[in-house]
Amino acid sequence: MKVLIVLTSHDELGDTGKKTGFWLEELAAPYYRFKDAGYEITLASPKGGQPPLDPASNVPDFQTDDTRRFEDDAEASAALADTVRLETITEADFDTVFYPGGHGPLWDLAEDPASIRLIEATLSAGKPLALVCHAPGVLRHTTNEDGTPLVKGRKVTGFTNTEEAGVDLVDVVPFLVEDELTKLGGEYSKGDDWSSYVVEDGLLITGQNPQSSAETAEALIAKLAS
C-alpha cells in the first residue's frame, strides 16, 4: 500500500507574531501506524522541502511515544526535510491520502488548488481519505461532481469550537472547523474535548483532535483492508 501524507507549509499564526505549522503527534502517530503496517509512505506539502512544525506540539506535555520515536528516527527526519511539492502529486500514484492537522492547514491547504484537486480525485477514484483535527477544514472548497460541497450530507468531525476556545485561538484562525463543516451541510458530530473521536462515512474518515490521530490512521488501515 502506498500512502500520501499531506502537510502544511504555513508557519504564521495569524497576526500574533507566533509560529504554527503541523502538529507533531498528528504526523507521528499515523506515520508509525502506516510504517508498521508495511505501507510505503510519501510526505508532501505545498512548498515542498521542510514543512514547519508547530513549536507548541513538541513541548514535553504533548510528547508521546510516537513523537519521541519520530524525533529519534533518522529516516523519518530525512523524509520530513524533503517533502514533495504537492502540485506535482497525482492521486493515481497512491492507494490513500492522510492529512494531519495543526493550525497551518487552515491558511494554506484549505485554499490550495492542488490539495482540492487531490481530495476530489482520491474520492472519485474510490480511494479512502482521512483527515484529523484541523485538517478536515481543508475540505471547505472541495465539491462533488455536481458542484455541491463534498461534505454535504456526510458524517464528519474535526476540531471543536470549544477546543479552539480552550487554546485561545477563536479570534485568530481564519475560520472555525466545526462551524465551517456545519455551514457546508456536513453532519458534524463530536466527542468530549481532548478525547479520541473518529467518524467514518464511506471513503471519508475524520478525527476530532490530536488524541484521535492514531485511531484515525487505524480506521484508514482497516478501510483499506476491507
Side-chain angles (χ1 to χ4, degrees):
M1 287 290 180
K2 295 182 178 180
V3 57
L4 177 70
I5 299 179
V6 182
L7 297 157
T8 181
S9 293
H10 184 86
D11 69 351
E12 297 292 333
L13 190 60
D15 57 6
T16 64
K18 297 178 180 179
K19 293 296 185 181
T20 189
F22 71 90
W23 198 260
L24 184 55
E25 182 181 3
E26 296 171 30
L27 168 61
Y31 182 92
Y32 288 114
R33 299 308 180 281
F34 299 141
K35 184 174 182 179
D36 294 347
Y39 286 17
E40 180 180 324
I41 303 169
T42 298
L43 304 181
S45 63
K47 294 181 179 178
Q50 179 80 49
L53 170 68
D54 187 323
S57 72
N58 204 21
V59 299
D61 284 352
F62 294 127
Q63 290 174 351
T64 66
D65 289 344
D66 288 317
T67 66
R68 286 184 286 269
R69 181 180 175 188
F70 195 93
E71 293 279 282
D72 293 336
D73 186 336
E75 180 182 347
S77 295
L80 185 62
D82 192 28
T83 66
V84 179
R85 284 185 69 94
L86 187 57
E87 65 184 8
T88 69
I89 292 292
T90 174
E91 153 277 318
D93 293 334
F94 299 94
D95 297 294
T96 188
V97 181
F98 188 95
Y99 278 74
H103 285 90
L106 299 185
W107 277 275
D108 65 349
L109 290 171
E111 309 297 328
D112 187 276
S115 176
I116 293 167
R117 286 194 301 270
L118 174 68
I119 290 168
E120 294 171 350
T122 297
L123 294 175
S124 292
K127 299 176 182 180
L129 173 83
L131 315 93
V132 69
C133 198
H134 286 87
V138 311
L139 298 171
R140 71 185 309 211
H141 296 307
T142 59
T143 60
N144 297 303
E145 291 181 2
D146 63 1
T148 56
L150 190 146
V151 302
K152 185 176 182 180
R154 293 180 189 254
K155 297 173 184 175
V156 289
T157 191
F159 205 59
T160 69
N161 290 352
T162 48
E163 287 169 329
E164 201 68 83
V167 295
D168 295 322
L169 292 174
V170 168
D171 296 325
V172 173
V173 293
F175 62 92
L176 296 171
V177 175
E178 178 180 343
D179 284 355
E180 189 70 15
L181 294 174
T182 302
K183 183 181 76 174
L184 292 168
E187 295 183 12
Y188 179 90
S189 63
K190 58 189 174 182
D192 293 336
D193 285 359
W194 316 117
S195 64
S196 182
Y197 184 76
V198 176
V199 171
E200 296 185 46
D201 190 309
L203 296 170
L204 182 64
I205 302 169
T206 48
Q208 179 176 311
N209 49 30
Q211 292 78 8
S212 309
S213 302
E215 188 181 346
T216 304
E218 289 161 2
L220 182 59
I221 291 168
K223 180 73 68 177
L224 283 162
S226 66

